[in-house]
Amino acid sequence: EQATEAISILDTKNELKTKLQDISSQLKNGEINKNEYDLILEDINNQFETNNKKLNDIKVEANKKLLQDDLRISNEAISKIRGLSKPKIYKTAEGFLKALNARSKKQYTLDEVKNIDGTVVGKEILINETVAAENNAVTVGSHELLHAIVKSSITGEIRKVKDVDGKTVETDLTVEGAALIKDFLNELSSKEKKIVQKRIDDNYRYNKNKKGEIVSEKAFEQYAEEYLNSYADAAIKNEL
């Protein structure tokens, strides 16, 4: 139904573009005067504005549905991580602002959150649904959201760890963060773990040379956060 309406609106806009060209020619040929041209032009512009608003409304509603689907996927991953709560979705910017200010030391204004589609406060995930839909940020619930959770919840100051060869390397993953990821992995089924581990092995686990050949294995702490992102990506593609 939305697709049919969108096509109809686009057809109308094309007709308006043709009409705009026609009145320009009529003015040039003296078939209409400047006052008549201005009146017709104003009407065409008003119709353009109305149709653009209708198209945007359709886009926002469609994106809201996609966002809900995406959040359902991310909830599966989040539910496996102890201490993290499922995203709280706020239908309006005002509701999002009130929730954010109730949890934050800084008190934000409505203008300051008008472009924020989602944020993480402590271990709570807040989603500004309308802004996310308007900005096409329909994946705010999956890869990027999980990445934000990781960065805000389980990373901290740079520390040194040993890789599998005993070499000292740096990581910003906290001790607690590493334990959380291991808890997450323990919650996965054997099928899920196999699929996620393949993504990790193919993309994150090893240091490789320019030819793509494995040179050495990284420390777990250097790539652990990618387990969450890999899980979300696999879930989105219905691979789990």
Side-chain angles (χ1 to χ4, degrees):
E1 184 180 338
Q2 285 182 327
T4 302
E5 185 179 357
I7 291 171
S8 176
I9 292 171
L10 290 172
D11 287 341
T12 300
K13 289 183 69 176
N14 285 331
E15 291 172 4
L16 289 172
K17 288 177 183 177
T18 300
K19 189 174 181 180
L20 188 58
Q21 293 173 346
D22 289 343
I23 65 167
S24 295
S25 297
Q26 290 171 352
L27 177 65
K28 185 177 180 180
N29 296 333
E31 298 174 42
I32 58 175
N33 60 40
K34 186 65 167 59
N35 287 335
E36 290 172 323
Y37 172 84
D38 288 342
L39 286 172
I40 299 171
L41 180 62
E42 182 180 2
D43 179 60
I44 290 174
N45 286 335
N46 287 337
Q47 289 185 63
F48 265 122
E49 186 176 342
T50 298
N51 281 287
N52 284 337
K53 185 180 183 305
K54 288 180 180 178
L55 270 180
N56 187 67
D57 289 344
I58 291 172
K59 181 199 77 172
V60 168
E61 288 306 311
N63 282 345
K64 283 181 180 180
K65 292 179 181 177
L66 290 173
L67 177 62
Q68 292 290 341
D69 290 340
D70 205 54
L71 286 171
R72 275 194 289 274
I73 291 170
S74 68
N75 282 343
E76 293 177 17
I78 292 167
S79 66
K80 297 176 185 290
I81 306 172
R82 297 173 187 174
L84 293 182
S85 61
K86 292 182 179 181
K88 293 180 173 62
I89 304 171
Y90 297 92
K91 302 288 185 183
T92 65
E94 290 79 8
F96 176 79
L97 175 66
K98 183 178 179 181
L100 179 60
N101 283 341
R103 294 162 173 79
S104 177
K105 292 180 180 179
K106 176 182 176 180
Q107 294 301 289
Y108 295 87
T109 65
L110 194 58
D111 189 62
E112 288 176 315
V113 302
K114 66 181 180 182
N115 293 316
I116 299 176
D117 47 48
T119 190
V120 181
V121 182
K123 291 189 177 181
E124 284 193 281
I125 308 153
L126 313 180
I127 303 295
N128 194 348
E129 183 185 65
T130 300
V131 173
E134 288 176 347
N135 292 345
N136 291 321
V138 295
T139 61
V140 70
S142 56
H143 187 109
E144 295 305 322
L145 180 57
L146 288 173
H147 193 68
I149 296 169
V150 170
K151 285 300 180 188
S152 66
S153 303
I154 63 176
T155 58
E157 294 183 2
I158 299 294
R159 65 189 181 96
K160 297 183 185 299
V161 296
K162 299 285 188 181
D163 66 13
V164 294
D165 296 322
K167 181 182 177 182
T168 300
V169 294
E170 294 184 339
T171 180
D172 63 353
L173 187 69
T174 63
V175 173
E176 295 78 12
L180 183 147
I181 298 297
K182 288 177 181 177
D183 284 342
F184 168 73
L185 293 175
N186 289 334
E187 293 294 325
L188 299 183
S189 67
S190 58
K191 178 187 175 183
E192 290 172 333
K193 190 175 294 185
K194 182 178 179 180
I195 291 170
V196 171
Q197 189 61 52
K198 185 178 187 308
R199 284 171 169 263
I200 293 295
D201 292 348
D202 289 346
N203 300 291
Y204 307 109
R205 186 176 177 182
Y206 302 103
N207 293 308
K208 299 179 181 181
N209 60 24
K210 292 181 179 180
K211 294 181 180 180
E213 299 167 334
I214 294 174
V215 176
S216 61
E217 183 176 345
K218 299 177 183 177
F220 172 79
E221 291 84 354
Q222 289 181 289
Y223 61 86
E225 68 178 79
E226 296 299 342
Y227 277 103
L228 290 177
N229 299 324
S230 295
Y231 179 94
D233 284 343
I236 290 169
K237 295 177 180 177
N238 294 316
E239 294 177 359
L240 298 177

